[in-house]
Amino acid sequence: SREAEKEGIRKATLEAAFAGVTAPEPKVLEKARFQPEFTTEIWDYLDSRVNPLAIDKGGKMARYHARTLEAVEKRFGVEQAVLLAIWSMESNYGAILEKPERLYYIPLALATLGYGDARRSKFARNQLLGALRILQAGDVERSQLTGSWAGAMGHTQFIPTSYLAYGIDMDGNGRRDIWSSVPDALATAANLLRKNGWRTGQAWGYEVVLPGGGERYREESKTLREWARLGFAPPSGGRNLPQTEDNAVLKLPAGPRGPAFLLTKNFFVIKRYNNADAYALAVSLLSDRLAGKRGVVQPWPRPEGSLTAEEKIEVQERLQQLGYYTGEIDGQLGSGTKAAISSFQQQAGLAEDGLPSRSLLQALRR
């Protein structure tokens, strides 16, 4: 409480925030301690986020929120497709906010991390103070101050300090409400990108074919003119690289056997939202598809027998039709889908490994 008082948090705010709270939230610590023992391959990560479901829903959201998206783009200079892609990535266009069982009361979650998880204590305590400032400002009711176990909030999943830095009252009702106001949430995301240097109308990057020995330039930065001189060019059917002095970094997210990308300023601005190449690439590729552009042309180096994004969705649909799967059709093959696969394999007399594969899909199609 002394720490909060030093930061200008009133005693009444603190008491209201923790009224009725008697103990830490054990589920938060469980989430914090869970460290997956595997790394998601880039193509699996993209399949679960850049797929027909996300593209179709994004198109519907673009039509439904057309006026809002136009107004936000006009004010902040961030393209509508980019904002839709971030909204999809962060909360499935707000769908996650309709599942109270997956939401946590933010002050309790952050207090639990701040005083029960040594690795996150400094971060969580700082965010807790931010959450208390939000309550004190009256932007949101106590009952609405919910989000992820790690403190991300609203349609566009802002941590408290980022919300305080970038929050926008786009709908003009006097509150910056990223929880229930789509205009406020999208404008807040656009404001973050703009303040970090978004370049309106410029590409996030270019898919290119590696020339002979081109992988040696991995992670190097050169101008687009220099990359073109070295023989880097888009796949067949793509437009030539612009002959400009804009810098771009070569990244090979799946190594030299997979697609290559020359990534420009806007890609790295997206990383200010989430500092992961995979995240920024997913937002970038999804935004292209939402804008009616083509997807990645060169194939990812998937293992033999693995499934495409469309086939993963089909696996879930067929498992659901057969009564093995009761979860969402979302293309994300998590524990629920894997348990359903195992049950089907057991009943069908197949080797029970719970893994999606081409042979599994063929068995489901019979």
Side-chain angles (χ1 to χ4, degrees), residues 204-245:
W204 56 268
Y206 303 87
E207 181 186 357
V208 290
V209 177
L210 286 178
E215 62 268 24
R216 71 179 181 274
Y217 297 110
R218 184 176 190 165
E219 300 295 332
E220 288 191 22
S221 176
K222 302 180 187 298
T223 68
L224 288 169
R225 195 187 305 279
E226 288 173 321
W227 286 119
R229 281 191 199 129
L230 289 168
F232 288 80
S236 177
R239 291 187 297 178
N240 289 334
L241 291 180
Q243 298 292 303
T244 69
E245 298 304 308

Side-chain angles (χ1 to χ4, degrees), residues 61-361:
M61 288 295 183
R63 292 187 290 275
Y64 188 80
H65 295 283
R67 285 188 180 180
T68 291
L69 287 160
E70 287 167 13
V72 173
E73 181 177 13
K74 184 176 180 181
R75 178 171 168 183
F76 296 96
V78 179
E79 291 75 5
Q80 298 176 35
V82 174
L83 297 173
L84 285 164
I86 288 173
W87 190 15
S88 174
M89 291 281 291
E90 295 297 340
S91 69
N92 186 17
Y93 304 105
I96 195 171
L97 305 183
E98 297 167 12
K99 298 175 182 176
E101 71 279 3
R102 293 179 61 179
L103 300 175
Y104 297 83
Y105 177 51
I106 291 294
L108 176 55
L110 292 172
T112 299
L113 290 173
Y115 297 92
D117 184 343
R119 293 169 303 167
R120 295 177 174 85
S121 61
K122 185 177 179 182
F123 167 84
R125 290 186 195 189
N126 190 35
Q127 296 308 318
L128 175 57
L129 291 170
L132 293 172
R133 287 191 196 98
I134 293 169
L135 268 182
Q136 188 161 283
D139 278 334
V140 63
E141 297 292 332
R142 180 188 190 276
S143 59
Q144 280 187 294
L145 191 55
T146 57
S148 76
W149 66 268
M153 311 175 300
H155 282 270
T156 42
Q157 293 290 280
F158 273 74
I159 57 173
T161 54
S162 292
Y163 166 91
L164 291 167
Y166 300 110
I168 294 290
D169 172 23
M170 188 71 186
D171 61 18
N173 71 350
R175 296 187 298 125
R176 301 178 295 175
D177 181 3
I178 61 173
W179 297 266
S180 56
S181 170
V182 170
D184 288 7
L186 296 180
T188 296
N191 190 36
L192 182 153
L193 297 178
R194 184 189 68 170
K195 285 191 171 177
N196 282 285
W198 186 262
R199 294 179 179 175
T200 307
Q202 294 199 12
W204 56 268
Y206 303 87
E207 181 186 357
V208 290
V209 177
L210 286 178
E215 62 268 24
R216 71 179 181 274
Y217 297 110
R218 184 176 190 165
E219 300 295 332
E220 288 191 22
S221 176
K222 302 180 187 298
T223 68
L224 288 169
R225 195 187 305 279
E226 288 173 321
W227 286 119
R229 281 191 199 129
L230 289 168
F232 288 80
S236 177
R239 291 187 297 178
N240 289 334
L241 291 180
Q243 298 292 303
T244 69
E245 298 304 308
D246 291 328
N247 285 325
V249 176
L250 175 66
K251 285 189 181 283
L252 311 177
R257 294 192 302 117
F261 300 91
L262 292 176
L263 301 168
T264 56
K265 169 72 174 178
N266 281 351
F267 179 88
F268 296 96
V269 174
I270 293 170
K271 287 187 68 176
R272 296 301 299 268
Y273 209 108
N274 179 320
N275 190 31
D277 283 351
Y279 175 89
L281 186 59
V283 168
S284 301
L285 293 174
L286 180 54
S287 70
D288 274 0
R289 298 302 305 279
L290 291 169
K293 300 174 186 175
R294 68 178 183 174
V296 177
V297 175
Q298 299 166 96
W300 296 102
R302 300 172 187 269
E304 188 177 348
S306 61
L307 302 175
T308 65
E310 292 79 5
E311 288 169 335
K312 289 170 184 175
I313 292 167
E314 186 183 346
V315 163
Q316 287 183 322
E317 289 173 338
R318 290 185 178 274
L319 286 168
Q320 190 179 79
Q321 290 162 6
L322 293 169
Y324 292 99
Y325 179 63
T326 58
E328 284 184 69
I329 305 298
D330 57 8
Q332 299 196 34
L333 306 189
S335 57
T337 306
K338 289 174 182 176
I341 291 171
S342 292
S343 297
F344 169 76
Q345 289 172 326
Q346 187 179 43
Q347 291 293 319
L350 303 172
E352 190 182 334
D353 59 13
L355 298 177
S357 65
R358 186 67 39 75
S359 60
L360 168 77
L361 182 55

